[in-house]
Amino acid sequence: MMVRQNFLIAVLFGMILSGLIYLNNIQCSCNQQITEQGFNCSQQITEQGIIKPKWKQKIFGLRSTPGLLYNQPSVLVGRTDVASVSPWSAPIIWEGNFDSTLIDSIYKQQNLTIATTVFALGKYTRFVKDFLESAEQHYFVGFRVHYYLFTDQPESVPEVKMGENRSLTVQKVPSLNRWQDISMSRMEKLENLIENELVSEADYIFCLDIDTKFYGRWGAETLGRLVGVIHPWLFNVPRNQFTYERRPESKAYIPAEEGDYYYAGAAFGGSLEDVHHLTKTCREQLKIDAANSIEAVWQEESHLNKYFLLNKPSKLLSPEYMWRDVNKKAAQIKIVRFTNVPKNYAEVRPNP
């Protein structure tokens, strides 16, 4: 009897020891993966086994450079003519509420790549040169930037000299007969680009309109998990005057008594994972609307505003970052950074 009990105890002890060794090996393997690849082991083990990380993930603190000199910040002095924070505590970026020297020092240590997408179909190829040349002067200067230009006329894309660590990829897409269809197709193409090409290639992405031009700094102060730009025409009007989609039949519907800000469809961005979720959701909602024979009043911009209402941006850019005319300023606009280019829409668009 005693021999049998000792045998059972030995077997039980062996099982426990084997389990501990197995768990230790798993932990070591996980730690090695975290050290070498920078991702969480629990994210990699599935029913099918070990898989590669889906998103390029880096963990950074906001580390300042030793000995860096910059103006002392104050909790008492600042802009009093504009709001600098949203009701959900997201910063609203205006001239005068960030220090460019400090913020560049923090983010340049992180060796970031910013993917930037633009679409130039039909006559909109005429805007490519000014966009790229002005971007090279003002847009994430000193950072690695990869532009992705979608066009139906690759042969019409002009040569623009790129700075160090700056590159341009041109992707051909089919021509479309309605500007509304061009607008609505962007979300699907952005979703696919992130999934198929950018997953391990970039840290952030911004999606911008091509019929625009940079006039001032657009830099690391704009980086965030999910970034929206407050529309220049509607930043100072009550929400019931926002041009949201007001028909309940549309997935973009927002009632007159709801809404935070009205966001421009001409500029949005953030981390790859967050922008992928945004584009995927908007693409799905656009598809549902199409199946129900309804088109939101401002196509993808209407769906973008619905998304931002339910998924609050982590950072908001003031209308400085998407102004309407460089020659016409509101009192609150101390600097124009990025604007629409004046044009005859009837002449450049393929349809009214």
Side-chain angles (χ1 to χ4, degrees):
M1 185 69 176
M2 181 65 69
V3 172
R4 183 179 179 183
Q5 288 179 341
N6 290 340
F7 175 78
L8 291 174
I9 291 172
V11 170
L12 180 62
F13 178 78
M15 292 173 65
I16 294 172
L17 182 60
S18 297
L20 290 173
I21 292 172
Y22 174 78
L23 290 174
N24 183 65
N25 288 338
I26 290 291
Q27 183 177 8
C28 290
S29 175
C30 177
N31 289 339
Q32 183 179 13
Q33 289 176 337
I34 292 173
T35 300
E36 297 176 355
Q37 301 177 2
F39 58 83
N40 190 304
C41 184
S42 64
Q43 295 175 328
Q44 308 308 308
I45 300 177
T46 68
E47 293 178 357
Q48 291 76 32
I50 303 297
I51 61 173
K52 294 181 179 180
K54 184 171 184 181
W55 304 108
K56 182 180 179 183
Q57 296 183 7
K58 295 181 179 179
I59 300 175
F60 298 107
L62 298 180
R63 299 183 60 192
S64 182
T65 304
L68 181 69
L69 300 178
Y70 52 91
N71 294 329
Q72 179 182 347
S74 171
V75 296
L76 302 177
V77 178
R79 293 281 298 262
T80 59
D81 57 331
V82 293
S84 295
V85 65
S86 75
W88 57 92
S89 295
I92 305 174
I93 307 302
W94 295 89
E95 176 69 10
N97 68 1
F98 67 91
D99 189 304
S100 58
T101 300
L102 175 59
I103 205 161
D104 280 351
S105 170
I106 291 171
Y107 283 97
K108 282 184 178 179
Q109 299 178 67
Q110 300 181 9
N111 195 30
L112 301 173
T113 297
I114 296 94
T116 304
T117 64
V118 286
F119 288 71
L121 278 73
K123 295 180 180 180
Y124 276 73
T125 55
R126 69 180 60 173
F127 302 113
V128 172
K129 192 174 191 299
D130 272 356
F131 175 90
L132 290 175
E133 287 183 345
S134 64
E136 285 301 286
Q137 295 178 39
H138 302 291
Y139 181 72
F140 283 108
V141 175
F143 288 84
R144 184 182 294 106
V145 174
H146 193 153
Y147 303 101
Y148 292 84
L149 170 62
F150 295 85
T151 180
D152 57 346
Q153 302 171 55
E155 68 282 358
S156 298
V157 176
E159 288 191 16
V160 175
K161 185 178 179 180
M162 296 285 168
E164 185 179 1
N165 294 321
R166 321 274 286 197
S167 59
L168 170 66
T169 295
V170 178
Q171 296 196 8
K172 186 172 183 178
V173 294
S175 300
L176 295 169
N177 295 325
R178 298 173 68 243
W179 68 265
Q180 294 91 340
D181 293 332
I182 295 171
S183 174
M184 290 188 291
S185 69
R186 289 204 311 168
M187 290 300 185
E188 181 176 8
K189 288 183 172 55
L190 292 172
E191 177 190 358
N192 291 335
L193 176 71
I194 294 171
E195 286 183 0
N196 299 328
E197 298 189 38
L198 300 186
V199 168
S200 60
E201 299 297 325
D203 302 278
Y204 294 93
I205 181 172
F206 279 93
C207 311
L208 307 176
D209 274 5
I210 193 66
D211 53 335
T212 52
K213 187 174 180 179
F214 292 90
Y215 288 91
R217 171 195 169 93
W218 179 312
E221 72 279 359
T222 66
L223 295 175
R225 181 184 54 78
L226 186 62
V227 181
V229 182
I230 298 172
H231 201 288
W233 292 104
L234 299 168
F235 74 98
N236 57 353
V237 303
R239 59 162 64 115
N240 63 0
Q241 294 181 26
F242 291 167
T243 55
Y244 290 150
E245 174 54 58
R246 300 301 189 184
R247 293 168 293 176
E249 297 82 9
S250 172
K251 299 298 289 184
Y253 168 65
I254 300 176
E257 65 274 12
E258 295 184 26
D260 300 317
Y261 308 92
Y262 190 91
Y263 299 95
F268 59 91
S271 72
L272 291 183
E273 187 169 6
D274 281 272
V275 176
H276 179 264
H277 188 266
L278 181 158
T279 56
K280 181 175 185 291
T281 301
C282 289
R283 188 260 305 163
E284 291 171 345
Q285 306 291 54
L286 283 158
K287 186 176 181 179
I288 292 171
D289 270 9
N292 293 325
S293 300
I294 189 168
E295 184 177 289
V297 59
W298 290 112
Q299 297 81 39
E300 66 164 11
E301 184 174 87
S302 298
H303 288 274
L304 176 75
N305 272 276
K306 179 63 176 287
Y307 185 88
F308 278 152
L309 175 62
L310 301 179
N311 304 269
K312 308 296 190 191
S314 62
K315 182 173 287 185
L316 288 75
L317 306 185
S318 72
E320 298 168 0
Y321 292 87
M322 187 66 255
W323 193 238
R324 51 188 182 241
D325 186 340
V326 68
N327 297 314
K328 298 179 181 179
K329 295 182 183 178
Q332 300 87 351
I333 305 299
K334 307 302 182 186
I335 180 174
V336 173
R337 305 179 187 278
F338 188 54
T339 73
N340 284 301
V341 175
K343 58 195 149 301
N344 181 349
Y345 284 106
E347 192 269 328
V348 297
R349 287 177 171 175
N351 65 291

